[in-house]
Amino acid sequence: MKEQPIGVFDSGYGGLTVLKELVGQLPQYDYIYLGDNARAPYGNRSFETVYHYTLQCVRWLFDEGCPLVILACNTASAKALRTIQQLDLPRIAPENRILGVIRPTTEVVGNFTRTNHVGILATRGTVLSESYAIEIAKFYPGIEVYQQACPLWVPLIENNEHDKPGADYFVKTYTDQLMRQSPKIDTVVLACTHYPLLKEKIAAQLPAGSNLISQGEIVAASLADYLQRHPEMEARCSKGSRTRFFTTDSTEDFDNHASIFYGKPLRSTHIDL
Ligand code: DGL
């Protein structure tokens, strides 16, 4: 059978935290990861730019044979997913599918909160899109959503400063700003796939007993469920347990840095878009 991998896309490294869980929970499938590192971060970019870049990356993954693409980036899921699904997919690949990371997360958030006060930590783009507030209201109309943009966290992580003492100041700044919005927040979503690397530092700044949700496991469980409900798509996904990595920037930088996110060493290939 020709390789028909599941495509996993992120602006840079963050989606590797999701891919790690996908491969862990669903090891039988083939995967292709594409990080658009040359143009990352996406978090402060306009709607048009994020849409344009994401569409280019999705098309590349389709051309590589992916029948299904996961946008493992909240910013791309917030700003580009719906437009691509509704306007582009019917035209460019009507039989293919694209899934994001926001919906699976918002579907389960109500299982965690007891106070019905939920905090969202995300990039500025994701916060401004209001995607979390809109989606959570659909599933759990009783939940109050508080959002905090954390524009300095992705640069800290991308520059390998996330586990240094200097990062504590920036972690505290944004977690304090979130908690000042409501002391009743008992559940906080790491709504950016980079943020699991700051998880311990973030947890240390939140009140004891808070739930801190990262998305990898949730997205993997949701994909397993999706493939069970869509046997025609499941049959199209090839099962050779191969994972390949591509970056739009230097492979040397990618290979050196990516293992922090993926949990083990990897070798990437460069592509130009
Ligand atoms: N990992 C991306 C996300 O989940 C953000 C990184 C970026 O700003 O490019 O939103």
Side-chain angles (χ1 to χ4, degrees):
M1 180 184 174
K2 190 173 144 285
E3 193 171 320
Q4 300 202 125
I6 296 172
V8 179
F9 164 70
D10 182 55
S11 58
Y13 299 106
L16 290 166
T17 63
V18 174
L19 178 65
K20 185 169 99 183
E21 297 296 335
L22 297 179
V23 174
Q25 286 192 35
L26 301 165
Q28 65 272 38
Y29 298 108
D30 293 317
Y31 297 91
I32 286 188
Y33 184 86
L34 174 58
D36 191 9
N37 299 75
R39 302 185 293 194
Y42 280 13
N44 290 333
R45 293 192 187 276
S46 69
F47 173 90
E48 285 73 22
T49 304
V50 173
Y51 162 65
H52 174 68
Y53 289 174
T54 305
L55 179 59
Q56 253 187 331
C57 292
V58 166
R59 290 186 94 125
W60 185 85
L61 287 164
F62 284 167
D63 289 344
E64 287 297 301
C66 299
L68 176 65
V69 169
I70 316 276
L71 301 187
C73 174
N74 287 272
T75 310
S77 298
K79 292 186 151 188
L81 177 63
R82 181 157 307 187
T83 313
I84 296 177
Q85 279 174 332
Q86 291 179 353
L87 292 185
D88 300 293
L89 201 56
R91 193 168 44 82
I92 61 175
E95 67 295 345
N96 288 356
R97 290 293 171 266
I98 311 176
L99 305 173
V101 289
I102 296 179
R103 195 182 169 117
T105 312
T106 55
E107 266 174 5
V108 299
V109 80
N111 300 340
F112 294 87
T113 178
R114 294 171 306 278
T115 60
N116 277 348
H117 284 58
V118 170
I120 306 293
L121 297 168
T123 65
R124 194 173 275 148
T126 300
V127 167
L128 290 176
S129 76
E130 295 280 343
S131 300
Y132 273 88
I134 294 166
E135 290 293 321
I136 290 174
K138 284 187 200 154
F139 297 112
Y140 305 102
I143 290 184
E144 300 282 341
V145 177
Y146 303 87
Q147 304 191 84
Q148 179 61 47
C150 314
L152 290 170
W153 285 1
V154 169
L156 269 180
I157 295 164
E158 295 266 326
N159 289 292
N160 219 1
E161 291 290 326
H162 56 279
D163 53 359
K164 309 284 183 331
D168 293 340
Y169 170 80
F170 296 102
V171 168
K172 183 168 165 40
T173 300
Y174 296 136
T175 47
D176 282 356
Q177 283 174 17
L178 176 70
M179 293 310 296
R180 271 201 292 273
Q181 295 183 48
S182 169
K184 287 200 205 153
I185 294 170
D186 72 342
T187 298
V188 174
V189 180
L190 299 181
C192 170
T193 51
H194 279 67
Y195 296 175
L197 273 80
L198 287 171
K199 194 168 185 179
E200 277 177 28
K201 285 187 188 287
I202 297 168
Q205 298 298 337
L206 294 174
S210 303
N211 298 306
L212 189 53
I213 303 178
S214 44
Q215 297 175 299
E217 285 172 33
I218 292 170
V219 173
S222 167
L223 178 63
D225 178 59
Y226 175 88
L227 291 171
Q228 207 174 10
R229 285 184 292 108
H230 295 86
E232 71 298 340
M233 177 55 76
E234 201 283 332
R236 288 177 64 199
C237 297
S238 61
K239 295 159 193 78
S241 301
R242 287 162 294 223
T243 305
R244 293 182 291 139
F245 301 87
F246 295 84
T247 175
T248 55
D249 207 348
S250 137
T251 54
E252 204 184 326
D253 287 350
F254 190 88
D255 298 356
N256 284 336
H257 206 40
S259 57
I260 305 168
F261 295 79
Y262 194 55
K264 56 182 180 192
L266 57 87
R267 295 287 293 273
S268 63
T269 303
H270 173 83
I271 60 151
D272 283 314
L273 285 175

